[in-house]
Amino acid sequence: MEVKNIMLTAEEMPRQWYNILADIKMNPLLGPDGNPVTPDALAPVFPMNLIEQEVSTERWIDIPAEILDVYRIWRPTPLVRATALEKALDTPARIYFKNESVSPPGSHKPNTAVPQAYYNKIFGIKRITTETGAGQWGSALSFACAQFGLECKVFMVRISFDQKPYRKSMMEAWGGKCVPSPSPETKAGQDALAKNPKTPGSLGIAISEAVEAAVADQSGETRYSLGSVLNHVMLHQTVIGLEAKAQLTKVGAYPDVVIGCAGGGSNFAGLAFPFACDKINGKQVEIYPVEPAACPTLTKAPFVYDHGDTAGYTPLLPMHSLGHTFVPPPFHAGGLRYHGMAPTVSQLVDEGIVTPQAISQLDALKAGILFSRTEGIIPAPETTHALAGAIAEARKAREEGKAKVILVCFSGHGLLDLTAYAKYLAGDLTDFELSDEEIVKAEKAFADFPKPASLKSR
Amino acid sequence: MEVKNIMLTAEEMPRQWYNILADIKMNPLLGPDGNPVTPDALAPVFPMNLIEQEVSTERWIDIPAEILDVYRIWRPTPLVRATALEKALDTPARIYFKNESVSPPGSHKPNTAVPQAYYNKIFGIKRITTETGAGQWGSALSFACAQFGLECKVFMVRISFDQKPYRKSMMEAWGGKCVPSPSPETKAGQDALAKNPKTPGSLGIAISEAVEAAVADQSGETRYSLGSVLNHVMLHQTVIGLEAKAQLTKVGAYPDVVIGCAGGGSNFAGLAFPFACDKINGKQVEIYPVEPAACPTLTKAPFVYDHGDTAGYTPLLPMHSLGHTFVPPPFHAGGLRYHGMAPTVSQLVDEGIVTPQAISQLDALKAGILFSRTEGIIPAPETTHALAGAIAEARKAREEGKAKVILVCFSGHGLLDLTAYAKYLAGDLTDFELSDEEIVKAEKAFADFPKPASLKSR
């Protein structure tokens, strides 16, 4: 029987994460004074063991046994040959998807939530604050905190909080606390509410609130956790790509194309970085981060220094950004509604090692329906962007008559995002087009900041 | 490293289902005339190949390759050692749960939805009707019909239709159609609406509607599908127990106790029948179906002949029943809100081969929270009943100092049933107690029907 699900045993699970900082050069984070940020300056926000990971340039970092124990709840995840989808597309390409939706919260997010909870725990931290957009990250961190006996407080973007009450219940089932953002609990929240009491909120505001709430705790027992963007988050997610590589090796394959959706960058990086490493070292492979056309951070916005949050609490990050005050239009892939992009992913784009694509919401959901009715699993709206990219590649392969190997990250299922499908199927969904004027206007947010240097890693 | 997830390879997946009719004696189904039903009489409702399975007494029935192909989307499912739960309970027992929640619709239901769609397809059927309570079955059949290019029409109990709009979207994402029941589309629905325009509906009424809609199609291209109760449904589900047995064998274990929740009986039967077979043949093993105390079919209702639906369209089934007009109180485990029970499960209870237990809603959800915060996966409200049973056994094992092996079916996740958790955590959930008077009154529904004979299989 042909193997559809390529599995790894628990023994074959990676024992180390891959750190791309060993293979690329990066601009430093800058503080308010315009100088590089020191680890000490980040200490009120993150525990020092995670800060050390953030700045490490070691290529391989051991995964502690306690983290492997929790990973084993759902890892290794299956690598699945999308045979039914291939047949529907009549393509000579082989499509493999790495199924990260099998985790308890339903996405790749716990790959970093678990290590972050663990490192906070052993550093003596008692509670973690964070923000969440659509709710994937807040759920994942609540799940992880339950595993290590930590308190978890989640500031959830208000529009999602109202639209997705199930997400709050999910966090609470794991013992987390979830409040809508902006909230009256922080100065950043109060300011946002004063400006517009009916604001739908944004990830940028929610980040500001969570950082402020962590730093404000005088006991020193609270820290903040971020679900994407930062180097250590990308590091933890590389377990995805390392597993996928081992699984492809089992069937004697190596991808011609690697595809992941990109919001803050973490699931894309998780799948792609181990292959980007190969590419930096001379291997031939195409790597595509796929972003929403309505929030075109990589395809339309420049590589600049900008804040990660709206209030400007974070250091300046060298990244592709639409401006830290940009509020993306209300499309359904909440996890991709972020003004910036992971500095590591931004750097790879800037160097031409990975090549971004943008997909419209309607094309993405169309791909989601085709995938649901062939491979059977209903993808998260975020994930549909990657699938649309993979489907386009498979169609291209048919035109070219090439038996390509396409590897795509199935970052999460859509069982808590079914409203998007209902609206799409009812013909009640539209695309959002950003005018160039809107983009130029949003980018004024970083006009006065320093510019990152152009670096080349190869 | 200790193995937490015991996996099977695709090659190790069972190639045959186990048919318990080879090992137990059953009372026949009776028609309106009081005589045993012939296969021909069922032909307007089911395709003949499934009717043949329904009455087969062959012990092993081959799983066709086309079904194995679709099973491979999510099967073999993991057997997981609940190490974190064991630790929290400080028990010497080993608890293994068979994780059926990893299927695309999130439960064990596609184990039979896929074969049912397949057999209908090869019999030349174009569309299938069915009913659904909480939505698990309707989702699973929509998923399965998409795999074989069949139309699917689901009558969903109105109260769930209104409370769980996501379920409808899920069915639609897979191409299914979903209408609230009672509907004006059938006579059974019209009658129910005339009696009470605001009725919340019931599984019994929805079954009547789906059967009527199938039979009414003059083209002969429509059939009805049932997600539980019938022999062929139990048959298909035995893939669960057969896999679990092979997985336990890998770690040199055999269960002392086997536990599943029981509504119509299918997930319980799926896990338990291969072990019941061993027990009939002399092996020592305790087997517990766990039902909700608010719908105590096995623990309080007698073994009788009764209809499977409210309108009385179905033959008389020899089963434990609360009466076919019984409407269970509105507790959250919608999949367990059925007045009857699979005849095979009922027969095993009657013979003392399996021993039913009843659990209150609050105790069940308490177990669900403990499981969520230890093993990490949020169980469906139905599943929490089985987990409560397993937790009670593990506590008993601690008191007795016995290193028992407990095997429990994790029939589905609760990601689409989070309202139950939200209400439980808010202290907003109560138990439903049925008075003996209510039960006696409900049982009048079968007072005039023949009585099944007492049979013994060993």
Side-chain angles (χ1 to χ4, degrees), chain A residues 144-209:
Chain A
C145 284
Q147 288 292 317
F148 293 105
L150 294 170
E151 289 175 41
C152 183
K153 170 83 172 268
V154 182
F155 293 86
M156 184 168 184
V157 177
R158 177 177 287 278
I159 185 169
S160 294
F161 183 90
D162 292 339
Q163 286 174 349
K164 306 187 176 191
Y166 272 19
R167 280 287 176 192
K168 174 173 181 273
S169 308
M170 206 170 165
M171 295 178 222
E172 289 177 346
W174 281 311
K177 276 184 195 144
C178 177
V179 295
S181 166
S183 79
E185 299 184 24
T186 65
K187 186 176 175 304
Q190 289 157 11
D191 287 353
L193 288 171
K195 221 164 154 184
N196 177 7
K198 291 186 172 173
T199 175
S202 74
L203 263 180
I205 297 169
I207 295 175
S208 297
E209 286 209 272

Side-chain angles (χ1 to χ4, degrees), chain A residues 259-276:
Chain A
I259 301 173
C261 63
S266 80
N267 101 83
F268 167 75
L271 182 72
F273 278 7
F275 298 98

Side-chain angles (χ1 to χ4, degrees), chain A residues 138-422:
Chain A
S139 310
L141 194 64
S142 298
F143 157 77
C145 284
Q147 288 292 317
F148 293 105
L150 294 170
E151 289 175 41
C152 183
K153 170 83 172 268
V154 182
F155 293 86
M156 184 168 184
V157 177
R158 177 177 287 278
I159 185 169
S160 294
F161 183 90
D162 292 339
Q163 286 174 349
K164 306 187 176 191
Y166 272 19
R167 280 287 176 192
K168 174 173 181 273
S169 308
M170 206 170 165
M171 295 178 222
E172 289 177 346
W174 281 311
K177 276 184 195 144
C178 177
V179 295
S181 166
S183 79
E185 299 184 24
T186 65
K187 186 176 175 304
Q190 289 157 11
D191 287 353
L193 288 171
K195 221 164 154 184
N196 177 7
K198 291 186 172 173
T199 175
S202 74
L203 263 180
I205 297 169
I207 295 175
S208 297
E209 286 209 272
V211 170
E212 186 183 325
V215 174
D217 178 7
Q218 297 297 321
S219 75
E221 292 179 343
T222 304
R223 290 294 184 282
Y224 163 75
S225 171
L226 186 62
S228 192
V229 178
L230 297 177
N231 300 342
H232 66 272
V233 179
M234 308 294 131
L235 171 79
H236 301 152
Q237 291 292 356
T238 59
V239 67
I240 303 173
L242 294 169
E243 280 186 8
K245 203 185 240 193
Q247 285 162 311
L248 283 174
T249 303
K250 285 201 167 192
V251 293
Y254 190 90
D256 297 293
V257 191
V258 175
I259 301 173
C261 63
S266 80
N267 101 83
F268 167 75
L271 182 72
F273 278 7
F275 298 98
C277 170
D278 293 347
K279 188 168 183 176
I280 290 165
N281 290 295
K283 189 110 184 168
Q284 178 66 35
V285 51
E286 298 301 319
I287 306 177
Y288 303 143
V290 184
E291 65 183 9
C295 190
T297 318
L298 290 172
T299 50
K300 291 211 172 168
F303 185 52
V304 295
Y305 266 118
D306 198 7
H307 290 295
D309 70 319
T310 300
Y313 291 161
T314 76
L316 292 175
L317 309 168
M319 62 179 180
H320 281 266
S321 176
L322 286 156
H324 62 277
T325 53
F326 178 69
V327 178
F331 60 91
H332 276 273
L336 307 183
R337 298 181 66 243
Y338 185 59
H339 69 273
M341 179 59 66
T344 45
V345 174
S346 296
Q347 179 66 29
L348 291 173
V349 170
D350 200 48
E351 296 191 35
I353 296 168
V354 310
T355 313
Q357 301 180 343
I359 298 266
S360 81
Q361 167 162 267
L362 287 176
D363 285 345
L365 278 164
K366 190 177 175 186
I369 289 287
L370 176 61
F371 193 90
S372 301
R373 295 183 185 175
T374 51
E375 293 303 314
I377 314 171
I378 301 174
E382 292 81 2
T383 311
T384 60
H385 290 75
L387 296 173
I391 288 169
E393 273 300 304
R395 291 206 165 107
K396 210 171 86 182
R398 183 180 58 188
E399 284 160 25
E400 300 171 349
K402 280 190 190 160
K404 277 183 195 170
V405 173
I406 300 168
L407 173 64
V408 59
C409 192
F410 192 88
S411 55
H413 65 62
L415 299 191
L416 285 105
D417 310 279
L418 285 159
T419 313
Y421 286 95

Side-chain angles (χ1 to χ4, degrees), chain A residues 1-5 7-8 10-11 13 15 68-69 71-75 80 84 99 102 104-106 143 146-147 163-167 169-176 369 372-378 413 415-419 421-422 425, chain B residues 1-5 7-8 10-11 13 15 68-69 71-75 80 84 99 102 104-106 143 146-147 163-167 169-176 369 372-378 413 415-419 421-422 425:
Chain A
M1 187 186 288
E2 186 205 8
V3 175
K4 183 165 179 74
N5 290 284
M7 303 300 297
L8 295 179
E11 287 69 34
M13 199 158 86
R15 292 289 191 282
L68 288 171
D69 273 349
Y71 272 179
R72 284 192 295 157
I73 290 176
W74 77 99
R75 305 209 73 88
V80 187
N99 187 0
V102 298
F143 157 77
Q147 288 292 317
Q163 286 174 349
K164 306 187 176 191
Y166 272 19
R167 280 287 176 192
S169 308
M170 206 170 165
M171 295 178 222
E172 289 177 346
W174 281 311
I369 289 287
S372 301
R373 295 183 185 175
T374 51
E375 293 303 314
I377 314 171
I378 301 174
H413 65 62
L415 299 191
L416 285 105
D417 310 279
L418 285 159
T419 313
Y421 286 95
L425 290 166
Chain B
M1 187 186 288
E2 186 205 10
V3 175
K4 184 165 178 73
N5 291 284
M7 303 301 297
L8 295 178
E11 287 68 34
M13 199 158 83
R15 293 291 192 281
L68 287 172
D69 273 350
Y71 272 179
R72 283 191 296 157
I73 290 176
W74 76 98
R75 305 208 72 87
V80 187
N99 187 359
V102 298
F143 157 78
Q147 287 292 318
Q163 285 174 349
K164 305 187 179 193
Y166 273 19
R167 279 287 176 191
S169 309
M170 206 172 166
M171 297 180 220
E172 289 177 346
W174 280 311
I369 290 287
S372 301
R373 294 182 186 175
T374 51
E375 293 304 313
I377 315 171
I378 301 175
H413 64 63
L415 299 191
L416 285 104
D417 309 279
L418 286 161
T419 313
Y421 286 94
L425 290 166

